Amino acid sequence: MEFACSHVVCNGRTDGGESTGVTVRQQEDAAPPPLPPRRLIKPQHTSLPPLQPPIIPSLTPPPVPPRVDKKEGRSRPAANINVVSLSIGKLVDISQGLESFDSPVTCGKCSAALSCLSLMQRNVWVCEFCECENNVDNNVDRVCIGQRSGVHSDDLYLPNQSDDDYQNLEDTLVVFCVDISGSMSVTTEVASDSGFVAYISRLESIQDALQRALSSLLQLSSHRRVALVTFNNEVVIYGDGTCTPLTLKDWALMDYDHIWEQGVAYRVPHCIAETHDSLLQRVRDFSDSGATSLGPAVLASVAIASRYPGSRVILCTDGKANIGLGKMEETPSLSSSITTYFYQQLAQQALQCGVIISVLTFEGTDCCLANVGRLADMTGGRVNMVSTGTVATEIQVASLDNVLATGVSAMLVAPEGVYFPYEAGNNHKFMKEIGNVTEEMELTVQFAVKPEFVKVFLRRQTIPFQLQLSFKTRDQKKVTRIITEQRPVTTSRTKPRQCMN
């Protein structure tokens, strides 16, 4: 490469004058200087293992498992046919004219009842479920009257009751428990049929829904009682709207027993035919502000309704509790214990009193349904996510009086050797507290045979099952219905599978 430069070095003298036409050629591919000789490093002894090259995982997919031939019957798990299905809503209906008796004769060991399947010799009944010997009277033969001997029995037991046990069906309560905290002021855009756009707050939609529900109850059940409870920083019990409101606040929101006593003592003496206008005015006066004392409000509502089994509490809220009992803004460790225990205890107490709790919460909000929803799950209520457009319909549906029986409990007895795998105890009795029952209520129970009893049952053609259903009718009559049946034993799944649901 050739270039001209302003300074030329020649013989050690520098001339700053003009270029004299002397050219200097540089080699473009000059060789780098040689590398210094490597020093030989002797290997040192070490206790570490020699380094291994890294293992690179294979990018190829794992081999495809061999296909299963469907003809061999192994393409999917076999259906379990050892299941008992109980239509509880139909079984609590005692209007079929079944013969009734005073009290059953029960086994001293397993509590199974004497039935048409039972065999007696010299006034000794050997229980067909546990083989325990029981002494019985000669008069118990009438238990099997009208039944098909050895196949099926269905008996009602109605103990003697006084007139004080009777309850009017119209005495049940509907308690509306309404959130009026500051978050209820959030608005939603709603377009009318004419195209006009309006913004309606959650509280305004609740007010409209409650006014419609009250009018519907006035027309359909004018003798029912309706009570009103609101909550924000404090809980206000309005009752039927005609009495002086009761306010719970500050320390009272943390006292379970105090809230329960105040709620039970608060009277709701009038039916909606007398209190409709007063309740409407209370609803119109709602104003949103403050925090959310949800737990104490539901507790007070259940306490008010507990005087009348079959009553309902309808909770309308848009946020999780953050003040008082059951608040959910604690640390996760405390919330999972204290808060969960509160809602479990409240649900259990409502179940024992025959109170149904339904929960309505707005879409897109966080009210911790894992805890609040437990109130509805355990008492037979509803859990619905609503919007400003659907809340009115859902409140009216939740307030319908469709309870057929209260205080329902079931016991299913099977022979020794049968057990219920999803129940504690691993014995031959299944027991469950159901509470309130509506027409759609069903219960399914899975059972199994212990391995050491398989050969024993294979030598039998049938095995007995007995259902004991105890409950109170809507007029508070105590009833026990006992159904006993023989069911065939088989080693083939084909025939039972054809008739199973």
Side-chain angles (χ1 to χ4, degrees):
M1 184 171 79
E2 294 182 358
F3 67 94
C5 67
S6 58
H7 295 80
V8 178
V9 178
C10 182
N11 296 328
R13 185 175 66 85
T14 303
D15 184 1
E18 294 181 1
S19 175
T20 56
V22 179
T23 60
V24 180
R25 182 176 298 272
Q26 292 186 346
Q27 294 183 1
E28 190 173 5
D29 298 328
L35 294 174
R38 296 179 180 272
R39 292 194 305 169
L40 180 60
I41 302 177
K42 295 182 179 182
Q44 298 180 355
H45 295 286
T46 177
S47 60
L48 297 176
L51 295 177
Q52 299 293 335
I55 300 175
I56 301 177
S58 176
L59 298 180
T60 59
V64 179
R67 294 183 180 273
V68 178
D69 186 5
K70 293 184 179 181
K71 295 182 180 180
E72 297 179 3
R74 295 176 297 175
S75 58
R76 60 180 180 180
N80 192 336
I81 60 175
N82 289 338
V83 176
V84 178
S85 179
L86 306 173
S87 299
I88 305 296
K90 296 180 180 178
L91 294 175
V92 297
D93 182 7
I94 59 174
S95 61
Q96 304 95 333
L98 297 173
E99 188 174 3
S100 61
F101 309 94
D102 291 340
S103 60
V105 177
T106 58
C107 173
K109 180 181 179 181
C110 70
S111 300
L114 188 73
S115 68
C116 67
L117 305 183
S118 305
L119 298 177
M120 290 184 296
Q121 293 182 352
R122 297 179 181 180
N123 295 340
V124 176
W125 162 42
V126 179
C127 178
E128 56 271 25
F129 296 97
C130 67
E131 299 183 355
C132 176
E133 294 184 357
N134 301 272
N135 294 321
V136 295
D137 296 332
N138 292 326
N139 296 329
V140 299
D141 291 339
R142 63 192 186 91
V143 171
C144 302
I145 295 176
Q147 307 296 342
R148 292 178 293 163
S149 178
V151 178
H152 173 89
S153 64
D154 188 352
D155 305 312
L156 285 181
Y157 297 91
L158 304 173
N160 295 326
Q161 301 179 77
S162 64
D163 293 337
D164 295 336
D165 296 326
Y166 177 78
Q167 177 182 330
N168 191 340
L169 300 183
E170 299 291 349
D171 280 344
T172 58
L173 270 173
V174 179
V175 182
F176 293 106
C177 184
V178 185
D179 184 353
I180 58 170
S181 62
S183 59
M184 292 292 286
S185 62
V186 175
T187 59
T188 302
E189 182 179 300
V190 178
S192 63
D193 296 336
S194 60
F196 176 76
V197 176
Y199 291 89
I200 300 178
S201 69
R202 294 169 183 167
L203 183 60
E204 289 173 339
S205 65
I206 287 290
Q207 289 174 300
D208 176 67
L210 287 176
Q211 293 179 64
R212 296 187 188 185
L214 292 173
S215 299
S216 177
L217 288 170
L218 178 63
Q219 295 177 0
L220 301 177
S221 304
S222 59
H223 296 289
R224 290 185 73 186
R225 306 182 191 192
V226 179
L228 185 63
V229 176
T230 63
F231 61 94
N232 49 12
N233 286 333
E234 55 192 24
V235 176
V236 180
I237 302 175
Y238 292 101
D240 58 16
T242 61
C243 302
T244 303
L246 172 64
T247 301
L248 303 173
K249 58 183 179 180
D250 300 332
W251 63 268
L253 300 180
M254 299 297 296
D255 192 331
Y256 192 103
D257 294 335
H258 175 74
I259 296 173
W260 182 264
E261 292 171 359
Q262 293 295 314
V264 171
Y266 198 92
R267 297 286 188 255
V268 184
H270 304 293
C271 63
I272 191 172
E274 304 171 284
T275 64
H276 177 261
D277 293 340
S278 299
L279 288 170
L280 282 181
Q281 188 58 47
R282 297 292 189 185
V283 171
R284 295 191 184 104
D285 292 340
F286 285 171
S287 176
D288 47 71
S289 63
T292 307
S293 55
L294 185 150
V298 181
L299 175 58
S301 300
V302 173
I304 296 171
S306 65
R307 294 171 53 85
Y308 309 100
S311 297
R312 293 177 175 272
V313 172
I314 302 175
L315 170 64
C316 307
T317 184
D318 73 333
K320 60 185 178 182
N322 53 26
I323 186 175
L325 292 170
K327 63 179 179 180
M328 304 177 190
E329 290 193 351
E330 303 172 359
T331 60
S333 59
L334 292 176
S335 177
S336 60
S337 57
I338 300 176
T339 301
T340 300
Y341 175 77
F342 167 77
Y343 288 103
Q344 287 178 341
Q345 182 184 11
L346 179 54
Q348 187 64 35
Q349 196 157 7
L351 180 64
Q352 294 173 356
C353 297
V355 178
I356 300 174
I357 304 175
S358 292
V359 180
L360 304 181
T361 182
F362 282 89
E363 297 173 349
T365 60
D366 179 19
C367 71
C368 287
L369 284 179
N371 285 315
V372 179
R374 185 178 287 110
L375 301 174
D377 293 339
M378 292 184 63
T379 60
R382 302 163 58 91
V383 179
N384 278 355
M385 302 286 287
V386 300
S387 63
T388 54
T390 62
V391 62
T393 302
E394 294 299 335
I395 285 183
Q396 293 185 47
V397 172
S399 61
L400 291 177
D401 185 13
N402 59 350
V403 177
L404 302 179
T406 62
V408 182
S409 62
M411 181 174 73
L412 183 63
V413 186
E416 288 275 9
V418 174
Y419 72 101
F420 301 93
Y422 295 102
E423 300 301 318
N426 197 28
N427 57 31
H428 63 111
K429 290 196 302 183
F430 166 84
M431 304 179 68
K432 184 175 181 62
E433 294 290 334
I434 301 175
N436 301 299
V437 168
T438 58
E439 185 177 357
E440 300 82 11
M441 172 71 72
E442 290 190 1
L443 179 66
T444 56
V445 184
Q446 180 178 333
F447 64 92
V449 178
K450 297 179 180 179
E452 61 268 26
F453 284 86
V454 171
K455 292 183 179 180
V456 176
F457 286 124
L458 287 178
R459 291 194 294 266
R460 302 171 60 174
Q461 293 183 346
T462 60
I463 60 174
F465 286 88
Q466 184 176 96
L467 171 67
Q468 298 185 17
L469 199 65
S470 300
F471 56 94
K472 288 184 179 181
T473 60
R474 286 299 306 275
D475 55 0
Q476 293 301 289
K477 289 182 180 179
K478 296 180 181 179
V479 180
T480 299
R481 185 172 185 175
I482 300 179
I483 302 175
T484 311
E485 287 191 3
Q486 295 269 28
R487 308 303 290 176
V489 177
T490 180
T491 57
S492 173
R493 296 177 180 269
T494 304
K495 186 175 180 180
R497 190 184 298 159
Q498 293 174 353
C499 60
M500 70 181 297
N501 187 341

